[in-house]
């Protein structure tokens, strides 16, 4: 089966001269006005907007025609997103926006220029073009080199202005081959006591889960705690710009950790024959996110959601498909006994089944239930009553290790 993988590579516009900056700023203002203008029609139909407004937009706005179309798409995306997350009396306020250039209005090439070899040329409007030197960090540069060699397809570039600096966000795409019929299901779930938990279930013996692994995410917790503390101090002193800078720094540090964990998770999945990764669809998580500090599961939800997107493309690049189960399909997975199916109230780190007497790591039990939710749909289930899974004495995550392999499968 063929699947599409997308990655985003960010480069910085390196010391553009004043004229180039002016041209970019002017175009951004025009683009922003146009997106607002499109939003004013309050339509979520691209074809309606195209038929009724496109001609007028070309007259009113001095922008490249491809930009006029991406502005329309953005307006539709913004309206849809707003409707999805809308609270009763909220009004749509558009603070800032990035400009989306598609293949028709940008060119990216490598030159022998000493400043930087990478140059991005944007068509801004009917007459104006601007060429910008782009610099990349090491990891990003390797990816963009792959793309220049033809391993990735260039799709769109988002031009983002952030604190007076300009950044180019390249979206790259490629097609990968994944197995039609997976033989191992790997569930990755957020846990009550762990940032992520993994378990593997094999087609040959679906009732006996193999090798649980935990990622406690302690380093992320530490980073968040530390930065939260500094942030409060700065807020007291009303140093708001510093607060925002710090947010970016915190985000980068957390992301770095998430990449490390995602690599380990994909490596975990790769050790099994024909794996497929299954995760819970958390796209609606913000809606029911209440500010409760008591629940770790909630605390872990937001970084876990970011972790999911990183796992998704890293796995696909290794030829591992990622599937999502809806909230409905994963209902009660944390409260259900994976051995006998009894639904119980859980407290503490252990899941104790009052019906069949199973005592099991709580996060791992939930994970196995998610895997079963998928195997049922794939016809993997057997008629035998499920055996107890590998429990082992290592069911409690080690205190000092970030991750731990419980037991060989
Ligand atoms: Zn039970």
């Amino acid at each position: 089966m063929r699947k599409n993988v997308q990655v985003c590579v960010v480069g910085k516009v390196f010391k553009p001269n004043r004229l180039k900056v002016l041209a970019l700023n002017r175009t951004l203002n025009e683009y922003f006005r146009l997106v607002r203008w499109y939003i004013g029609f309050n339509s979520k139909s691209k074809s309606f907007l195209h038929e009724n407004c496109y001609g007028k937009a070309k007259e009113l706005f001095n922008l490249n025609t491809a930009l006029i179309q991406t502005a329309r798409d953005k307006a539709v995306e913004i309206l849809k997103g707003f409707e999805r997350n809308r609270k009763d009396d909220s009004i749509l306020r558009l603070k800032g926006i990035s400009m989306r250039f598609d293949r028709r209005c940008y060119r990216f090439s490598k030159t022998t220029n000493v400043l930087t070899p990478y140059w991005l040329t944007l068509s801004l409007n009917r007459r104006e073009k601007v060429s910008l030197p782009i610099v990349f960090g090491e990891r990003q540069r390797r990816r963009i080199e792959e793309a220049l060699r033809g391993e990735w397809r260039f799709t769109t570039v988002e031009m983002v202005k952030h604190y007076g600096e300009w950044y180019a966000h390249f979206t790259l795409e490629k097609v990968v081959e994944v197995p039609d019929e997976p033989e191992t299901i790997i569930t990755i779930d957020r846990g009550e006591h762990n940032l992520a938990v993994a378990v593997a279930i094999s087609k040959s013996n679906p009732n006996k889960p193999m090798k649980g692994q935990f990622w406690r995410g302690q380093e992320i917790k530490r980073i968040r705690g530390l930065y939260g503390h500094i942030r409060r101090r700065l807020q007291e002193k009303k140093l708001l710009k510093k607060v925002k800078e710090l947010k970016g720094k915190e985000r980068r540090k957390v992301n770095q950790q998430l990449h490390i964990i995602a690599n380990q998770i994909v490596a975990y999945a790769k050790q099994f024959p024909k794996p497929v990764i299954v995760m819970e669809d958390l796209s609606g998580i913000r809606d029911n996110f209440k500010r409760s500090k008591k629940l770790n599961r909630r605390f872990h939800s937001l970084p876990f959601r970011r972790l999911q997107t990183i796992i998704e493309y890293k796995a696909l690049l290794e030829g591992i498909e990622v599937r999502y189960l809806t909230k409905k399909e994963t209902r009660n997975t944390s409260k259900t006994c994976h051995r006998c199916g009894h639904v119980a109230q859980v407290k503490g780190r252990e899941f104790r089944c009052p019906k069949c007497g199973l005592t099991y790591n709580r996060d791992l039990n939930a994970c196995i239930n998610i895997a079963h939710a998928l195997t049922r749909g794939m016809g993997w289930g057997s008629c035998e009553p499920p055996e107890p899974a590998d429990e082992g004495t290592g069911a409690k995550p080690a205190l000092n290790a970030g991750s731990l392999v419980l037991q060989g499968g």
Side-chain angles (χ1 to χ4, degrees):
M1 193 178 6
R2 295 161 82 79
K3 287 263 162 190
N4 218 19
V5 199
Q6 276 195 344
V7 290
C8 178
V9 173
V10 182
K12 189 178 179 188
V13 179
F14 187 68
K15 295 186 180 164
N17 66 36
R18 208 175 58 90
L19 281 175
K20 288 178 182 177
V21 172
L22 281 176
L24 282 173
N25 286 341
R26 209 166 45 236
T27 312
L28 180 64
N29 282 339
E30 192 79 345
Y31 193 81
F32 186 58
R33 270 203 324 123
L34 173 58
V35 172
R36 268 206 312 220
W37 183 79
Y38 266 128
I39 287 175
F41 292 92
N42 201 16
S43 164
K44 278 169 285 175
S45 156
K46 285 181 190 176
S47 55
F48 170 86
L49 290 173
H50 186 75
E51 280 157 30
N52 298 290
C53 318
Y54 180 59
K56 193 88 187 140
K58 275 202 289 191
E59 276 171 40
L60 289 173
F61 298 90
N62 182 25
L63 288 169
N64 183 301
T65 51
L67 280 179
I68 292 178
Q69 287 170 44
T70 65
R72 172 205 64 197
D73 296 350
K74 275 206 173 210
V76 170
E77 283 160 27
I78 289 165
L79 275 175
K80 281 185 178 166
F82 175 67
E83 211 113 294
R84 241 193 333 268
N85 304 314
R86 139 163 243 163
K87 308 249 163 51
D88 297 334
D89 52 351
S90 54
I91 28 171
L92 177 57
R93 268 199 201 90
L94 205 53
K95 276 188 250 159
I97 205 158
S98 58
M99 292 185 277
R100 184 178 302 159
F101 290 78
D102 66 17
R103 279 318 268 141
R104 293 168 293 175
C105 53
Y106 80 87
R107 209 176 62 236
F108 181 72
S109 51
K110 198 175 176 184
T111 65
T112 52
N113 190 295
V114 284
L115 188 66
T116 167
Y118 306 105
W119 287 77
L120 175 65
T121 305
L122 304 170
S123 298
L124 304 176
N125 51 49
R126 269 148 249 157
R127 279 184 305 275
E128 230 173 334
K129 274 188 183 173
V130 61
S131 273
L132 306 164
I134 309 287
V135 287
F136 296 97
E138 192 40 41
R139 205 189 317 162
Q140 313 271 315
R141 198 187 62 79
R142 277 203 299 269
R143 188 121 291 155
I144 215 80
E145 282 291 336
E146 286 173 12
L148 288 166
R149 285 200 298 271
E151 292 171 31
W152 294 87
R153 210 161 55 79
F154 283 91
T155 61
T156 58
V157 176
E158 293 271 350
M159 293 304 296
V160 181
K161 189 181 178 184
H162 192 64
Y163 291 104
E165 306 271 10
W166 281 91
Y167 298 85
H169 293 229
F170 294 85
T171 301
L172 310 176
E173 216 175 59
K174 76 160 129 186
V175 172
V176 291
E177 192 70 40
V178 299
D180 286 326
E181 299 222 351
E183 285 171 13
T184 318
I185 291 181
I186 317 288
T187 306
I188 314 292
D189 191 26
R190 65 202 159 126
E192 208 73 49
H193 300 287
N194 298 285
L195 172 70
V197 193
V199 79
I201 296 213
S202 153
K203 189 175 184 178
S204 55
N205 194 355
N207 291 325
K208 193 154 176 68
M210 303 173 287
K211 276 189 184 175
Q213 191 164 342
F214 302 90
W215 287 267
R216 301 194 66 197
Q218 268 184 322
E219 185 57 20
I220 291 176
K221 222 170 183 171
R222 193 191 65 80
I223 294 166
R224 296 183 127 208
L226 174 72
Y227 279 86
H229 178 75
I230 305 173
R231 200 159 50 231
R232 279 189 296 278
R233 299 278 302 272
L234 290 171
Q235 260 154 357
E236 280 163 22
K237 292 181 189 160
K238 303 245 182 299
L239 295 165
L240 294 178
K241 199 179 168 192
K242 277 248 158 61
V243 170
K244 280 195 174 169
E245 276 172 22
L246 215 66
K247 260 200 168 148
K249 207 167 173 189
E250 176 185 353
R251 206 186 153 78
R252 279 193 296 280
K253 288 217 161 153
V254 169
N255 263 345
Q256 208 176 8
Q257 291 300 317
L258 292 176
H259 273 273
I260 294 170
I261 294 172
N263 284 338
Q264 289 171 357
I265 287 176
V266 173
Y268 169 86
K270 260 180 82 177
Q271 63 182 321
F272 299 101
K274 292 195 181 173
V276 59
I277 289 178
V278 57
M279 298 189 279
E280 187 184 355
D281 181 5
L282 295 176
S283 43
I285 194 72
R286 252 167 216 283
D287 303 340
N288 29 19
F289 182 75
K290 300 237 166 57
R291 289 189 183 279
S292 148
K293 280 184 187 154
K294 268 203 211 144
L295 278 172
N296 268 321
R297 195 172 167 82
R298 285 194 182 135
F299 172 82
H300 282 319
S301 289
L302 296 177
F304 185 75
R305 175 106 179 77
R306 251 149 78 201
L307 181 65
Q308 284 185 322
T309 59
I310 302 172
I311 291 172
E312 188 173 339
Y313 84 78
K314 283 188 193 275
L316 273 170
L317 285 180
E318 298 288 343
I320 302 170
E321 190 196 347
V322 174
R323 294 190 199 168
Y324 287 95
L325 291 179
T326 60
K327 256 214 190 86
K328 212 174 147 195
E329 289 168 305
T330 57
R331 234 185 102 226
N332 278 342
T333 43
S334 52
K335 288 193 243 164
T336 305
C337 169
H338 78 263
R339 187 163 68 180
C340 73
H342 183 74
V343 179
Q345 281 308 321
V346 241
K347 276 192 189 118
R349 281 165 192 261
E350 297 259 288
F351 178 87
R352 285 169 210 277
C353 177
K355 201 171 166 201
C356 74
L358 176 81
T359 304
Y360 212 74
N361 176 282
R362 176 181 181 170
D363 290 344
L364 213 50
N365 179 62
C367 233
I368 295 167
N369 281 322
I370 291 177
H372 285 163
L374 188 69
T375 51
R376 273 197 297 277
M378 294 166 86
W380 279 18
S382 71
C383 308
E384 312 157 30
E387 300 168 40
D390 293 346
E391 286 168 55
T393 44
K396 291 183 201 88
L399 285 170
N400 49 354
S403 66
L404 169 80
V405 176
L406 281 187
Q407 208 174 313

